[in-house]
Amino acid sequence: MSIALPTGTRSVAIDIPSFEFDVRSLTKISSCVGVQWRAFGRLLGYTVSELEDYNRFETNSEKTYQLISAWRDKLGRRATTQLLLQACDDIGVKGAVEDKLGLQ
């Protein structure tokens, strides 16, 4: 996906990586987030008490997968790849996620 942003009198095109929110993509993202799932969840808008509910899942990857799935269901069309990749960037795993998803 590419969008044009105005800069003075010119427009500059910026490519925003895009991918499908499917099982394969979410699994790949989840494996990159790992032990940082709580910080990742807070960046997606979860409260600390909401995050505690995800402790019922055994692995960090499963916790992350379930977080993203619930976030996507909650936000619907507002759950964009850009928001998800920004959260990945904020915890330092965006490069790994882009590599796994083949976005680079």
Side-chain angles (χ1 to χ4, degrees):
M1 175 165 120
S2 181
I3 62 172
L5 299 176
T7 58
T9 59
R10 298 183 305 146
S11 290
V12 176
I14 298 174
D15 286 326
I16 298 174
S18 183
F19 57 89
E20 292 296 319
F21 281 106
D22 60 11
V23 171
R24 181 173 290 180
S25 297
L26 297 186
T27 300
K28 290 177 180 181
I29 294 167
S30 299
S31 70
C32 293
V33 172
V35 298
Q36 299 182 75
W37 71 271
R38 283 184 189 88
F40 186 74
R42 286 192 301 273
L43 290 167
L44 294 180
Y46 288 90
T47 65
V48 172
S49 62
E50 288 172 326
L51 290 172
E52 289 304 314
D53 292 339
Y54 289 88
N55 279 321
R56 71 182 184 271
F57 298 106
E58 191 170 321
T59 66
N60 292 329
S61 290
E62 185 63 21
K63 291 170 188 175
T64 303
Y65 182 94
Q66 296 299 329
L67 279 170
I68 297 170
S69 294
W71 173 79
R72 179 191 59 195
D73 292 345
K74 179 179 168 182
L75 293 185
R77 299 185 86 194
R78 293 177 299 148
T80 65
T81 58
Q82 184 178 7
L83 290 173
L84 196 58
L85 288 174
Q86 181 60 54
C88 290
D89 191 35
D90 290 347
I91 63 167
V93 299
K94 183 180 177 187
V97 167
E98 288 177 332
D99 285 346
K100 282 203 175 204
L101 295 174
L103 299 176
Q104 290 190 2

